[in-house]
Amino acid sequence: MVRKTYVTDAKYFLHGGDYNPDQWLDRKDILADDLKFMKMTRTNTFSVGIFSWSMLEPEEGVYNFEWLDEIFDNIYKNGGRIILATPSGARPAWMSQKYPEILRVNEYRMKQLHGGRHNHCFTSKIYREKTQNINRLLAERYGKHPALLMWHVSNEYSGECHCENCQNAFREWLKKKYNNDLKALNDAWWTAFWSHTYTDWSQIESPSPIGENSIHGLKLDWKRFVTDQTISFFENEIVPLREITPHVPITTNFMADTYDLIPFQGLDYSKFAKHVDVVSWDAYPAWHNDWETTADLAMKVGFINDLYRSLKQQPFILMESTPSGVNWQNVNKAKRPGMHILSSLQMIAHGSDSVMYFQWRKSRGSAEKFHGAVVDHDNRSDNRVFKEVAKLGEILEKIGKITGSNRQSEVGILYDWENNWALNDAQGFAMETKRYPQTLQEHYRFFWERDIPVDVITKEKDFSRYKLLIVPMLYLASGETLGKLKEYVKNGGTLVMTYLSGLVDENDLVYLGGWPKELQEVFGITPLEIDTYYPKDKNSVTYENKTFVVKDYATVIENRSAAVLGEYLEDFYAHTPAITVHPFGKGKAYFLGARLEAAFHQAFYGNLTEELGIKPPVTVRHGKGVSVQVRRDEAHEYVFVMNFTEEKQPVAFETELKDLLTGETLYGETVLEKYEVKIAERSLSSR
């Protein structure tokens, strides 16, 4: 029976990170210092072996595990646990030399050289055999070691291969999807356009800048195949882990785009999440940047956290973060004093049961020698970063009882990877202003700023658990998804949908006959056309006797049976509906025809949450830039009050709470210092 969570017998947060002792095996003094520093920082869990293949197997069939034996024993004796990684993320040079088929081929059909990482072919039988073999040896050797806490399979899966093996695998994937019916594929891809009809399966190639790159159905299916093939490679890796250590949970670390802080787009994590026991992700927000406020960035972090937590509706793991700065951004700014603790506790507040770092100790050479770490090149424990990590360790020990608790939400926002792929590929509208994930974050902003918890869910989840479901820009919507949305409203749900929704089916084919009938019935309107704005174009919408600015997109709407809540003021569609509501079954459906400024979201969602009785779980009065997030178990609510501003902020507790760090009672007015966090609890029986 495979464990579905990693929660240990003792209640404690995982605190530690990527540890690379194989870089320091000739420095016993360094390894001894590491054990001492681990105690001092109250770190208790370490990811080991992530890129250690050349050390574990320096020659084919020649193994060296003795160094790892010693690390396991020493960390366990030191009071720590190990998340053991499989080493497939970076293979040894001897393997690339002897088995060149494992090297990736890029979209230009160029064979890649050995080097870097994550540049192996996921289809290669040889590489699958090699990874499964080394993983079996690791499981047999360490599966019963008391230090082993979890498996960390590979690292940050990404990329794609276009070699002939992958082309054949893609064709077989397509045959299975289309029931070996080439006509069905041609129909789904609309290949009659530009005379691109396929007459034999062998003619199909993956998308390429030097070949076929205009068939949207092909490109969408290729991305789906890449996700499925990556998952297939992952599943191959874990066969011996499931067989030998069925009691040990398995994860692999997901990612997010650092600059925009949106979900990683290379893989559909809604599919991948089904294959891991625990979701983990690597968070590297660009704190203190010069294009947004600290609070704006914190809101985006909250969105990603709530998406990855919602993938399995359970606590997740922060697998990587930095205690200081990184080394690969355009400007690698150090975290200011207090930010490390604040940013780490934000992860905890949104559902993480860990704070883990890349990296424990800075490398001496190569690409990441200046990437932030707990232990710097000075090997000292009295520098600022080390002391902040140690202080966070003290805090995490005091609040260990929070682990395993989750968040309860009455609001869902629908995010879909396939929708973003298709929308970005659409050669229409405006190339730079589609911004699907960022648009969802702007709708999420209202709830984050008002301390209302949100689940960012994917289309296969149960919609019925939410009073309010928000579905912005669902350009690609299958008949199944449309049916689920219709049933949700019919059964009493409140649905909000926006412009650029319901235009194409799951094959990226436009719905004929106008908007899908299911949506027309639910919303009582028919969208006629979409107007795309230049940056200097202007229009406005009236809503509740106020005027709000339209940006980027406006939908011209024919009203059939909906109530009109807002109208356009300018252009050829002046005085026509822009915002509508329509009762359907036991519920209501709102349509927002235009992209509107943040002030509109504040007014609109303010009214909607009041009407639906959606409130924060705990009331703490505060100004802009302070966030209050709540986790909950069977007996308690755990309240995090966080100041994401560079100024002192007054707050007022309207309910008595117990400060988990000081034991004091929090009630009435107090002041949060810059970047300060208060963590409190309330018994559910006292509500």
Side-chain angles (χ1 to χ4, degrees):
M1 186 72 173
V2 176
R3 288 176 60 185
K4 293 304 177 186
T5 70
Y6 66 92
V7 176
T8 58
D9 295 335
K11 297 276 283 184
Y12 66 89
F13 284 100
L14 309 187
H15 186 213
D18 285 17
Y19 182 37
N20 305 112
D22 43 313
Q23 297 179 19
W24 303 96
L25 295 182
D26 59 347
R27 291 292 304 272
K28 297 298 183 183
D29 58 323
I30 292 290
L31 297 180
D33 283 344
D34 284 336
L35 295 172
K36 177 180 66 176
F37 290 150
M38 289 172 185
K39 285 282 192 182
M40 295 174 67
T41 52
R42 289 175 164 82
T43 44
N44 55 44
T45 307
F46 302 90
S47 299
V48 178
I50 295 173
F51 300 120
S52 299
W53 202 331
S54 61
M55 189 63 67
L56 294 169
E57 190 179 4
E59 301 175 38
E60 187 173 20
V62 177
Y63 301 103
N64 173 22
F65 291 106
E66 288 73 21
W67 66 273
L68 189 53
D69 295 344
E70 186 175 353
I71 295 300
F72 257 81
D73 292 342
N74 288 342
I75 286 180
Y76 187 66
K77 291 175 185 176
N78 207 43
R81 303 293 294 276
I82 286 176
I83 299 175
L84 183 57
T86 65
S88 65
R91 66 194 172 277
W94 61 259
M95 192 182 296
S96 299
Q97 183 181 46
K98 186 171 182 179
Y99 304 104
E101 79 153 51
I102 69 178
L103 297 168
R104 279 186 185 170
V105 173
N106 69 16
E107 65 270 29
Y108 292 94
R109 306 308 191 253
M110 295 172 59
K111 190 83 163 181
Q112 304 300 285
L113 301 176
H114 175 80
R117 56 180 186 168
H118 306 303
N119 56 358
H120 44 270
C121 171
F122 288 132
T123 305
S124 167
K125 291 182 179 179
I126 291 175
Y127 200 56
R128 289 184 175 217
E129 290 172 1
K130 290 296 183 183
T131 54
Q132 200 172 98
N133 178 66
I134 192 71
N135 293 358
R136 181 171 296 278
L137 293 174
L138 290 169
E140 290 173 345
R141 195 174 189 99
Y142 303 107
K144 295 182 179 179
H145 198 291
L148 181 62
L149 181 68
M150 181 184 299
W151 288 106
H152 176 338
V153 180
S154 196
N155 183 70
E156 297 181 338
Y157 283 108
S158 62
E160 54 192 49
C161 177
H162 298 257
C163 73
E164 194 54 39
N165 286 333
C166 288
Q167 302 294 346
N168 289 330
F170 181 42
R171 292 171 192 131
E172 291 303 313
W173 184 92
L174 291 170
K175 288 179 182 178
K176 182 177 180 180
K177 177 177 180 179
Y178 293 101
N179 297 314
N180 212 33
D181 185 346
L182 194 56
K183 182 181 185 303
L185 178 145
N186 280 306
D187 290 345
W189 289 2
W190 207 252
T191 55
F193 178 77
W194 284 359
S195 191
H196 286 179
T197 302
Y198 295 102
T199 57
D200 191 88
W201 293 97
S202 63
Q203 297 164 1
I204 300 173
E205 293 264 357
S206 59
S208 172
I210 61 172
E212 183 58 77
N213 205 33
S214 61
I215 298 177
H216 290 175
L218 163 65
K219 296 170 77 174
L220 186 57
D221 272 346
W222 171 254
K223 288 182 180 295
R224 290 166 172 154
F225 164 77
V226 169
T227 290
D228 287 352
Q229 197 71 347
T230 304
I231 293 172
S232 172
F233 183 85
F234 167 86
E235 285 290 340
N236 180 79
E237 276 211 65
I238 69 174
V239 166
L241 311 184
R242 293 291 195 207
E243 175 189 327
I244 299 168
T245 60
H247 59 292
V248 180
I250 293 174
T251 190
T252 189
N253 43 343
F254 293 171
M255 296 180 283
D257 179 274
T258 297
Y259 295 101
D260 282 338
L261 211 70
I262 62 174
F264 176 66
Q265 291 304 304
L267 297 169
D268 184 344
Y269 285 157
S270 69
K271 291 183 177 180
F272 212 145
K274 299 173 185 177
H275 298 263
V276 299
D277 298 325
V278 183
V279 168
S280 62
W281 79 284
D282 300 345
Y284 294 105
W287 296 110
H288 320 296
N289 65 64
D290 61 0
W291 61 84
E292 62 192 335
T293 67
T294 301
D296 285 340
L297 180 53
M299 177 273 295
K300 296 177 183 178
V301 176
F303 176 89
I304 302 292
N305 281 332
D306 287 336
L307 170 61
Y308 290 165
R309 174 185 52 78
S310 299
L311 287 175
K312 295 189 80 70
Q313 293 292 343
Q314 67 183 37
F316 62 91
I317 293 176
L318 172 61
M319 186 62 79
E320 291 184 19
S321 63
T322 178
S324 51
V326 297
N327 71 314
W328 36 263
Q329 293 177 355
N330 291 333
V331 176
N332 297 290
K333 195 175 185 70
K335 284 182 175 178
R336 307 342 257 173
M339 177 50 72
H340 173 58
I341 291 174
L342 171 62
S343 60
S344 298
L345 291 177
Q346 183 191 19
M347 309 299 290
I348 301 294
H350 281 265
S352 177
D353 273 3
S354 77
V355 176
M356 305 283 281
Y357 310 116
F358 181 84
Q359 49 194 331
W360 166 257
R361 175 182 288 276
K362 282 186 178 178
S363 301
R364 189 177 182 191
S366 203
E368 293 177 318
K369 61 181 178 290
F370 293 118
H371 192 291
V374 178
V375 183
D376 211 326
H377 295 130
D378 60 12
N379 202 44
R380 292 172 56 173
S381 61
D382 61 352
N383 61 52
R384 179 180 67 86
V385 172
F386 188 97
K387 288 191 288 186
E388 285 209 31
V389 171
K391 183 177 179 181
L392 177 63
E394 293 179 15
I395 293 171
L396 294 178
E397 287 185 352
K398 291 180 179 179
I399 64 172
K401 64 190 297 183
I402 297 176
T403 58
S405 62
N406 208 344
R407 286 161 60 78
Q408 294 189 344
S409 307
E410 296 178 311
V411 179
I413 296 180
L414 184 63
Y415 178 81
D416 183 35
W417 270 270
E418 291 187 351
N419 176 64
N420 197 37
W421 293 340
L423 183 57
N424 284 342
D425 210 26
Q427 292 173 290
F429 317 114
M431 298 301 110
E432 295 183 0
T433 61
K434 292 172 185 173
R435 297 176 62 80
Y436 169 66
Q438 295 90 339
T439 300
L440 268 65
Q441 288 173 338
E442 286 306 309
H443 286 261
Y444 173 89
R445 178 189 297 276
F446 168 87
F447 302 94
W448 186 83
E449 290 181 346
R450 281 159 180 75
D451 311 325
I452 296 172
V454 172
D455 284 352
V456 183
I457 60 171
T458 49
K459 57 182 178 290
E460 73 279 358
K461 299 299 183 183
D462 177 14
F463 298 163
S464 66
R465 64 190 297 173
Y466 304 103
K467 287 184 177 180
L468 173 62
L469 180 62
I470 303 168
V471 186
M473 297 180 68
L474 193 65
Y475 165 81
L476 181 150
S478 68
E480 181 181 359
T481 299
L482 294 178
K484 285 186 65 176
L485 292 173
K486 182 177 179 179
E487 283 300 304
Y488 168 75
V489 180
K490 181 181 178 181
N491 292 330
T494 298
L495 176 64
V496 176
M497 184 173 269
T498 77
Y499 54 92
L500 286 178
S501 290
L503 301 187
V504 302
D505 66 11
E506 64 272 22
N507 295 314
D508 206 1
L509 293 179
V510 174
Y511 282 107
L512 297 180
W515 221 30
K517 290 182 179 179
E518 295 93 335
L519 296 182
Q520 293 192 46
E521 291 175 9
V522 171
F523 288 91
I525 61 171
T526 301
L528 301 177
E529 58 182 305
I530 296 169
D531 194 10
T532 303
Y533 286 16
Y534 284 103
K536 292 184 179 179
D537 288 338
K538 295 181 180 180
N539 203 341
S540 301
V541 164
T542 58
Y543 174 73
E544 291 198 324
N545 299 317
K546 294 182 181 179
T547 302
F548 299 96
V549 176
V550 176
K551 303 182 294 182
D552 303 328
Y553 299 102
T555 309
V556 182
I557 296 171
E558 177 185 26
N559 188 17
R560 298 170 61 235
S561 55
V564 177
L565 303 181
E567 293 185 343
Y568 296 107
L569 292 183
E570 300 179 33
D571 222 310
F572 67 91
Y573 40 90
H575 310 301
T576 65
I579 305 161
T580 63
V581 62
H582 184 247
F584 181 78
K586 299 177 182 179
K588 289 183 180 180
Y590 292 82
F591 187 78
L592 310 183
R595 179 175 289 174
L596 294 158
E597 60 181 309
F600 169 77
H601 291 161
Q602 306 300 321
F604 175 73
Y605 287 120
N607 290 336
L608 209 48
T609 52
E610 183 175 355
E611 177 184 329
L612 295 172
I614 297 172
K615 300 177 181 179
V618 175
T619 303
V620 180
R621 287 189 287 111
H622 58 79
K624 192 171 183 179
V626 173
S627 174
V628 180
Q629 302 295 329
V630 177
R631 292 177 65 161
R632 180 176 175 176
D633 60 22
E634 293 180 356
H636 295 91
E637 287 175 316
Y638 303 103
V639 185
F640 294 74
V641 185
M642 300 167 283
N643 180 9
F644 289 101
T645 78
E646 284 64 39
E647 307 292 338
K648 293 181 179 180
Q649 294 290 337
V651 299
F653 294 89
E654 297 190 357
T655 305
E656 285 193 0
L657 303 173
K658 178 185 177 182
D659 191 314
L660 284 178
L661 302 182
T662 67
E664 299 174 346
T665 297
L666 297 174
Y667 184 69
E669 295 184 357
T670 188
V671 174
L672 293 181
E673 298 293 327
K674 170 184 175 180
Y675 300 158
E676 186 181 358
V677 183
K678 287 191 178 295
I679 309 169
E681 72 173 350
R682 177 174 68 171
S683 171
L684 291 175
S685 62
S686 67
R687 293 182 64 180

